[in-house]
Amino acid sequence: MFITSDPENVQRILASGFDDFDHGPTRRNAFGPLFGDGIFATDGAQWSEARALLRPSFARSQMCEMDMFEYHFENFLKALPAGEHEVDLQELFKHLSMDIITEMLFGSSMNVLMHGDDPEAMEFSHACEYSEKVAWRNVSLGWIGTQLPDRKDARSRQLLHNAVNFYVERVLQQETEEENKREEFESKRGKRYVFLDNLAKRTRDPKILRDQLVSTLLGGRDTTSSLLSNLLHVLARRPDIWAKLRAEALAFGAQPLTLERLKNAEYVRRCLYESLRLHPVIPLNQRWSNKDTILPRGGGQDEGSRLAIPQGSNVYIAVYSMHRRKDIYGEDADEFRPERWRDLRPGWGFVPFGGGPRICIGREYPDPMQDDSL
């Protein structure tokens, strides 16, 4: 096992030496039951095919519909208790993310925020959370984890897969009907962009569609809600930063927000970057060496020479500690100071979305949701 927080090594692992590293068999075996052959559970040519299939569906201009974001955020505000009461924002942010991403993916939202007392909506949300937690647990436990009997996990995965299969079958069935019926079907959905409709234009395989949709659903739900929860945790304790954010928001006036207008929310973006730096949603990233290879630093008595990595080694990128290095971020690296991003360019010392060919394919999609929420 090797652990690094050196930007040069990170660049080698994620980019220049990309072909030498995979996610590895432990992660594939742990993720397989939930994600199937989705982008998070594959390596090599199979991963390349999945990435190529998904990439066109992540067109930023198509996916970022501000009216949809604002509709669900209004439901989020209605779910907050009236008056001065403590509230678990993390759970509400999870519901907000779920509502937005299910509408974007399937053209139909789960509307968990509106129907928090609906057993089916809550069961689906809990199934997503539990099945993903077990998958990550099995990454840590390795082979032993996959052998542990867990009926709740099996039920959760089945519920999630059945729900996604319903939307996949509906789209595939519609594509086999007459043109006039298809036009009627699309008119009912309106002119909104639907991720599944776009993806189904490139493959008719129901399992491929399901696996990629499950990957996109779970990947988008947790990362976005975690970022907003982490940031609000800080803002609740920093009235000085909150005041600056509020001043920037009030300067936008009462006109509807658009993608172009959000580009001018510079302080909002700096706060998001600072949250991703101090509290990265993926604090530890992992790779597995598929051949004997090297890292540029870590060897020798001064750890400044090249380091040999034998085939079959687990290599971990300590994102959390690297994001707090004082030689990159200054002596106040442990402090939350958004102003540092005015001229900071940390390069490979800042990798909240990974990097190289495997950089998060949907990294730009949550931006409008996060900006709009703040």
Side-chain angles (χ1 to χ4, degrees):
M1 178 191 299
F2 299 85
I3 303 176
T4 183
S5 59
D6 190 304
E8 288 187 42
N9 289 341
V10 172
Q11 182 180 19
R12 167 71 183 172
I13 295 166
L14 299 181
S16 61
F18 175 78
D19 292 336
D20 294 355
F21 297 93
D22 293 327
H23 276 148
T26 299
R27 176 160 167 169
R28 290 197 299 269
N29 292 336
F31 276 21
L34 175 61
F35 294 103
D37 295 326
I39 195 170
F40 293 149
T42 53
D43 285 316
Q46 195 173 25
W47 168 81
S48 297
E49 292 174 3
R51 179 92 177 188
L53 177 68
L54 285 172
R55 186 182 297 110
S57 296
F58 276 96
R60 180 184 175 97
S61 60
Q62 294 174 315
M63 296 175 65
C64 301
E65 300 185 9
M66 298 304 300
D67 58 340
M68 179 186 72
F69 290 138
E70 297 211 359
Y71 169 78
H72 290 294
F73 188 71
E74 288 177 4
N75 292 334
F76 170 85
L77 294 178
K78 293 175 183 177
L80 294 173
E84 296 184 2
H85 300 283
E86 290 186 0
V87 58
D88 187 350
L89 285 176
Q90 186 171 31
E91 285 302 307
L92 291 178
F93 279 134
K94 287 179 182 178
H95 297 338
L96 174 63
S97 297
M98 177 67 77
D99 286 353
I100 290 175
I101 199 167
T102 49
E103 180 163 356
M104 181 271 290
L105 290 178
F106 310 127
S108 177
S109 175
M110 293 299 297
N111 284 323
V112 182
L113 285 170
M114 291 181 62
H115 307 297
D117 55 350
D118 183 344
E120 290 188 4
M122 294 308 299
E123 186 179 22
F124 179 79
S125 181
H126 292 155
C128 291
E129 186 162 352
Y130 187 79
S131 58
E132 188 174 15
K133 181 174 70 173
V134 170
W136 280 111
R137 180 203 70 186
N138 292 344
V139 171
S140 301
L141 294 179
W143 177 82
I144 295 176
T146 63
Q147 304 306 306
L148 295 175
D150 193 331
R151 293 181 179 178
K152 182 178 179 180
D153 176 45
R155 290 195 300 269
S156 296
R157 282 188 281 108
Q158 190 63 52
L159 190 155
L160 173 57
H161 288 169
N162 287 345
V164 176
N165 284 336
F166 168 79
Y167 292 104
V168 170
E169 291 169 2
R170 185 177 71 173
V171 167
L172 294 181
Q173 180 181 5
Q174 182 61 37
E175 289 293 329
T176 62
E177 296 178 357
E178 297 86 356
E179 181 66 26
N180 61 336
K181 290 185 178 180
R182 180 161 64 250
E183 291 177 355
E184 179 183 354
F185 174 73
E186 292 175 350
S187 66
K188 290 180 180 179
R189 290 195 175 198
K191 295 182 179 180
R192 284 186 299 104
Y193 174 82
V194 178
F195 188 94
L196 173 55
D197 292 353
N198 186 279
L199 197 61
K201 294 176 181 178
R202 294 187 296 281
T203 181
R204 312 295 300 161
D205 188 314
K207 185 178 183 303
I208 291 178
L209 289 171
R210 187 199 73 189
D211 292 347
Q212 304 306 339
L213 287 167
V214 169
S215 297
T216 306
L217 169 65
L218 297 182
R221 169 186 178 267
D222 287 346
T223 53
T224 303
S225 61
S226 295
L227 171 55
L228 289 172
S229 300
N230 290 337
L231 181 52
L232 265 293
H233 176 82
V234 173
L235 294 179
R237 292 154 178 80
R238 292 292 301 273
D240 56 325
I241 297 176
W242 179 261
K244 294 178 182 179
L245 278 173
R246 178 170 173 77
E248 184 173 73
L250 292 175
F252 276 78
Q255 296 181 358
L257 292 175
T258 64
L259 285 176
E260 289 301 317
R261 297 189 73 205
L262 282 176
K263 291 179 180 179
N264 297 321
E266 295 182 1
Y267 199 70
V268 167
R269 187 57 52 85
R270 291 170 188 167
C271 286
L272 290 170
Y273 281 169
E274 188 71 343
S275 182
L276 287 169
R277 182 185 72 84
L278 276 178
H279 308 113
V281 294
I282 302 177
L284 189 68
N285 209 338
Q286 174 267 340
R287 291 294 186 269
W288 179 84
S289 56
N290 56 39
K291 63 186 71 172
D292 292 341
T293 186
I294 61 168
L295 293 180
R297 292 173 53 82
Q301 292 185 351
D302 63 352
E303 299 184 353
S305 303
R306 295 191 300 173
L307 180 66
I309 305 294
Q311 181 180 5
S313 299
N314 282 311
V315 182
Y316 293 90
I317 299 172
V319 178
Y320 183 91
S321 60
M322 184 173 69
H323 282 186
R324 292 168 180 255
R325 285 182 53 158
K326 293 182 179 180
D327 59 329
I328 300 176
Y329 295 100
E331 290 300 315
D332 63 349
D334 291 327
E335 299 178 15
F336 191 95
R337 187 172 66 85
E339 288 77 10
R340 76 176 76 248
W341 291 97
R342 184 179 294 111
D343 52 13
L344 181 65
R345 299 294 183 271
W348 287 96
F350 182 66
V351 289
F353 306 109
R358 272 193 187 264
I359 192 170
C360 177
I361 195 171
R363 63 192 179 281
E364 292 186 344
Y365 162 67
D367 287 355
M369 172 183 166
Q370 297 155 3
D371 295 355
D372 190 25
S373 298
L374 289 177

